[in-house]
Amino acid sequence: MNRSIIQESGKQTPYYAYDISVLKQTIDRARVEANKYDYHIHYALKANSTEPIVREMLHAGFGVDCVSGQEMELALAQGFKSTQIAFAGVGKTDWEIDNAINSGIFTLNVESIEELIVIEERAKSLGKHANVALRINPDVNARTHHYITTGLEENKFGISSWMFDRLFETLGKCNHIEFKGLHFHIGSQIRDLEPFRNLCTRINHLQGVFIDHGYFPSHINAGGGLGVDYDDPDSSSNPDFEAFFGLFDTYLDLHPSQTLHFELGRSLVANCGDLISKIVFVKEGQKTNFLILDAGMTELIRPALYQAFHKIENIEAVSGVNYPYDVVGPICESSDCFGKAVMLPESRRGELVAIRSAGAYGECMANGYNMRTLNPSMFY
Ligand code: LLP
């Protein structure tokens, strides 16, 4: 984060500020580590779909992972080739399926047998074939917040192994489906890499089952989920791409002709973005004073929704002495709180505060509650 650029801009707060040089460094580190093993990265557009960020992903040579027809349209409009697009989601509608088939995307990542049957019907009526990867629910615990855990039986995502008999029976009847690969995604903000190791073990077993039934996956898509260190946004080893890709090289049994794909979102974009806000009031409280900001859960919902931690910095404070503050927004909800008893230098009305590591799932999850609108972002 470049404080002086932010301070001198005089921009209307609150707004998102993105440091493109940080983004480029992160992309480069991911690319270098993935290239060691010829792995393919698809950027998970859902994490941040602002145009300058998406453009960097395109220039990096990454593909994209989309979860809506709108994201697919954006990816095509931005210049991604259809063959670079993976499209996941448990509830794809007919127009989304038709668009995906007509565009000839890399894969529709199919999440249920019911969806497979509809895709077969749509492809047949369009007189085409649909490229399909089956999203398998591996029943691996990602050990992250339960709202962003996706690879357990109880979750709505993917096809579970107890459904395989019916799956193979259905696949046998599908003449308009091209089986391309297997897709997995166990969750997000995974910092301890052990769950990924467990995922590799499960993939090794599960792909054997498909091969035994005559379905050879030409690619494996291991999804995303690599977490970032929200405590230390400025560390250059954050996140650890080397350990992440190295783990798959060690533990995943890839056949020589197979390619391995990843769908990284947060790990690529979290660190390049900050939410910049102004202190509206310093309100006296019983235990700690409140810093009331002009940004709230409408601009960044992660703390309210997942009890997520984001480092908070007063970037204009003059005093060196720290005090505890409850840092809150202006929204009429008690969950509109960015942090309790946050140690900050003595803070005053009008000073700028940065809420760090907000590049992923920040701006894209902003909403209009209380009729609020988001100010244009800054890219520098
Ligand atoms: N692939 C699939 C199928 C996904 O559902 C996701 C994220 C990703 C890849 C990218 O995961 P990442 O590398 O970013 O962890 N709003 C939440 C996170 C939701 C993640 C949804 N799926 C948050 O703010 O923490």
Side-chain angles (χ1 to χ4, degrees):
M1 181 185 53
N2 187 324
R3 290 178 179 219
S4 52
I5 288 185
I6 290 164
Q7 276 173 301
E8 283 158 23
S9 81
K11 253 180 75 66
Q12 175 74 43
T13 54
Y15 64 90
Y16 277 89
Y18 298 101
D19 187 335
I20 298 296
S21 63
V22 169
L23 176 65
K24 282 182 171 163
Q25 283 161 23
T26 314
I27 288 175
D28 273 355
R29 286 193 294 108
R31 198 175 40 186
V32 165
E33 295 304 326
N35 282 351
K36 282 186 185 166
Y37 315 104
D38 281 336
Y39 293 163
H40 299 256
I41 296 177
H42 296 249
Y43 170 56
L45 260 187
K46 64 178 84 62
N48 188 315
S49 47
T50 56
E51 202 261 328
I53 287 184
V54 178
R55 198 188 319 130
E56 293 302 329
M57 303 297 173
L58 178 73
H59 291 163
F62 295 166
V64 275
D65 154 44
C66 300
V67 283
S68 70
Q70 288 81 354
E71 285 190 357
M72 219 164 44
E73 282 171 354
L74 178 107
L76 290 169
Q78 293 268 305
F80 289 92
K81 294 196 201 86
S82 56
T83 50
Q84 293 177 298
I85 299 177
F87 180 26
V90 294
K92 300 181 194 73
T93 57
D94 289 1
W95 77 266
E96 291 175 316
I97 292 172
D98 288 0
N99 272 4
I101 296 173
N102 282 329
S103 308
I105 63 168
F106 173 60
T107 50
L108 282 121
N109 293 344
V110 174
E111 308 239 7
S112 65
I113 298 171
E114 292 76 8
E115 182 188 339
L116 187 66
I117 294 167
V118 170
I119 293 177
E120 164 68 13
E121 283 167 12
R122 303 303 307 171
K124 187 175 176 190
S125 70
L126 293 168
K128 300 210 161 151
H129 282 81
N131 296 329
V132 157
L134 298 171
R135 177 168 181 178
I136 306 301
N137 185 325
D139 203 22
V140 167
N141 193 343
R143 295 192 219 130
T144 181
H145 191 278
H146 62 285
Y147 281 6
I148 48 176
T149 293
T150 50
L152 290 176
E153 290 274 353
E154 68 200 52
N155 301 129
K156 66 182 173 182
F157 302 97
I159 301 168
S160 297
S161 54
W162 58 265
M163 302 170 179
F164 280 3
D165 285 347
R166 192 157 75 87
L167 173 67
F168 289 124
E169 193 189 315
T170 310
L171 266 180
K173 294 182 200 150
C174 290
N175 300 318
H176 299 81
I177 298 283
E178 293 283 348
F179 172 75
K180 296 286 185 187
L182 296 178
H183 174 229
F184 304 85
H185 173 72
I186 57 172
S188 198
Q189 183 52 10
I190 302 166
R191 296 227 48 230
D192 164 13
L193 297 184
E194 183 72 18
F196 290 118
R197 189 174 158 172
N198 297 338
L199 174 63
C200 289
T201 309
R202 282 296 284 158
I203 297 177
N204 293 341
H205 166 73
L206 289 165
Q207 71 160 328
V209 176
F210 278 81
I211 294 168
D212 288 349
H213 281 80
Y215 295 96
F216 181 79
S218 58
H219 79 267
I220 301 290
N221 181 342
L226 175 62
V228 300
D229 184 353
Y230 281 97
D231 293 323
D232 190 6
D234 298 314
S235 159
S236 60
S237 58
N238 175 18
D240 193 348
F241 293 112
E242 186 180 3
F244 178 69
F245 291 121
L247 178 140
F248 282 89
D249 179 57
T250 307
Y251 295 105
L252 188 69
D253 298 337
L254 216 54
H255 294 262
S257 64
Q258 278 179 326
T259 53
L260 180 57
H261 297 244
F262 292 90
E263 300 168 336
L264 301 182
R266 184 193 316 270
S267 52
L268 294 173
V269 294
N271 289 339
C272 73
D274 300 297
L275 176 59
I276 308 299
S277 178
K278 201 170 263 184
I279 301 170
V280 183
F281 296 113
V282 182
K283 177 180 171 179
E284 192 181 346
Q286 207 171 32
K287 288 190 189 142
T288 55
N289 287 343
F290 293 98
L291 283 195
I292 303 179
L293 307 183
D294 62 2
M297 62 194 285
T298 39
E299 284 70 42
L300 179 66
I301 201 170
R302 301 194 68 257
L305 196 54
Y306 316 111
Q307 299 77 49
F309 172 84
H310 286 261
K311 192 170 177 185
I312 299 170
E313 290 172 12
N314 180 330
I315 59 175
E316 292 191 311
V318 283
S319 139
V321 188
N322 281 346
Y323 297 92
Y325 291 100
D326 283 6
V327 183
V328 301
I331 307 300
C332 316
E333 305 264 349
S334 292
S335 58
D336 184 29
C337 175
F338 291 117
K340 286 201 179 291
V342 182
M343 295 305 291
L344 289 170
E346 186 176 10
S347 298
R348 290 170 306 190
R349 169 177 163 80
E351 287 172 343
L352 288 175
V353 165
I355 304 178
R356 306 294 314 275
S357 319
Y361 306 109
E363 183 165 355
C364 57
M365 291 180 80
N367 60 80
Y369 187 38
N370 291 187
M371 291 186 75
R372 288 165 66 85
T373 51
L374 195 60
N375 293 311
S377 305
M378 175 203 260
F379 299 88
Y380 62 91

